[in-house]
């Protein structure tokens, strides 16, 4: 399986970057080929343009769509930012997963123009897991991302893995790195729909 990891963090020495490396190492142990789209290092422009609005894909978008075409699984890795995704990730999704390329209807989130791919959102969060669940944030993120956005992208199966306590102790962070490695090693193959 070929796995595309989309990393959104401006600091190459960040914990998010370390999680991406650990995830990719797990993928390689499982025998998968890997590719990383490091949005900041590559200078991706997240701003939605007039050409995007008119449905005229530019060279940078075509290159990202070609990466997706090669992938059997996609992992998005970004820190939880104001209970959402950072602007770079949001812009990448808006520009790359374009209307008429990724989807063309709104009545069924399970119908995508893309072939099925395994999808994983690997999201480090500073908050404690019990707070996230008790306050309803986890359910809200599941609804927005898994039932909404990523449903239209043909991700089956799809999963949100919140790595809570990412700002915690060294022991906690080591545990989260181990979890990312395990998720890469056990990444499921895409579901084939009839």
């Amino acid at each position: 399986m070929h796995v595309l990891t989309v990393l959104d963090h401006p600091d190459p020495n960040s914990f998010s970057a370390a999680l991406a490396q650990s995830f990719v190492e797990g993928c390689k142990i499982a025998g998968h080929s890997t590719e990383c789209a490091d949005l900041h290092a590559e200078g991706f422009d997240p701003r939605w343009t007039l050409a995007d609005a008119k449905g005229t894909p530019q060279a940078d978008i075509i290159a990202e769509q070609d990466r997706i075409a090669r992938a059997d699984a996609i992992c998005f890795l970004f820190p939880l930012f104001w209970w959402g995704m950072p602007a770079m990730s949001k812009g990448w999704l808006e520009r790359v997963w374009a209307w008429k390329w990724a989807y063309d209807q709104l009545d069924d989130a399970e119908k995508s123009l893309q072939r099925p791919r395994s999808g994983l959102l690997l999201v480090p969060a500073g908050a404690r897991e019990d707070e996230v669940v008790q306050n309803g944030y986890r359910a809200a993120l599941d609804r927005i991302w898994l039932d909404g956005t990523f449903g239209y992208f043909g991700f089956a199966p799809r999963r949100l893995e919140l790595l809570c306590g990412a700002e915690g102790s060294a022991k906690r962070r080591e545990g989260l790195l181990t979890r990312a490695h395990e998720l890469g090693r056990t990444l499921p193959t895409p579901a084939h729909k009839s």
Side-chain angles (χ1 to χ4, degrees):
M1 194 163 63
H2 185 65
V3 182
L4 173 63
T5 302
V6 182
L7 173 62
D8 178 1
H9 200 291
D11 183 355
N13 298 311
S14 67
F15 187 57
S16 293
L19 286 167
Q21 182 178 355
S22 187
F23 172 77
V24 167
E25 287 170 1
C27 289
K28 289 179 179 177
I29 285 174
H32 305 312
S33 59
T34 64
E35 183 173 1
C36 185
D38 186 334
L39 302 181
H40 290 271
E42 296 173 3
F44 181 78
D45 184 352
R47 295 172 297 176
W48 196 48
T49 67
L50 181 59
D52 297 327
K54 290 185 175 185
T56 309
Q58 303 301 297
D60 62 335
I61 300 308
I62 293 169
E64 297 302 311
Q65 290 173 343
D66 287 346
R67 279 180 161 165
I68 292 165
R70 291 190 292 271
D72 302 299
I74 301 176
C75 173
F76 292 90
L77 205 154
F78 54 81
L80 189 63
F81 199 79
W82 290 106
W83 297 108
M85 64 182 67
M88 184 71 84
S89 291
K90 186 75 164 75
W92 191 84
L93 291 172
E94 289 172 353
R95 293 193 67 212
V96 176
W97 294 86
W99 176 262
K100 299 291 184 191
W101 181 80
Y103 62 96
D104 69 354
Q105 81 298 314
L106 297 175
D107 59 335
D108 185 352
E110 297 302 318
K111 289 183 182 176
S112 174
L113 297 179
Q114 293 296 306
R115 64 182 166 84
R117 290 181 176 85
S118 185
L120 174 65
L121 284 83
L122 197 54
V123 181
R128 292 191 340 248
E129 188 169 359
D130 60 334
E131 293 175 323
V132 171
V133 172
Q134 289 171 5
N135 293 325
Y137 299 127
R138 173 60 198 236
L141 293 173
D142 282 345
R143 181 76 173 141
I144 291 166
W145 289 340
L146 297 182
D147 297 339
T149 303
F150 294 96
Y152 291 103
F153 295 171
F155 290 172
R158 57 186 174 270
R159 175 181 184 162
L160 167 60
E161 186 75 20
L162 276 179
L163 300 173
C164 293
E167 296 295 323
S169 68
K171 181 179 179 182
R172 173 70 182 157
R173 290 163 72 95
E174 189 59 39
L176 295 177
L177 289 168
T178 299
R179 179 72 183 133
H181 187 275
E182 182 66 10
L183 288 165
R185 193 184 64 74
T186 61
L187 192 65
T189 57
H192 296 284
K193 297 181 181 177
S194 55

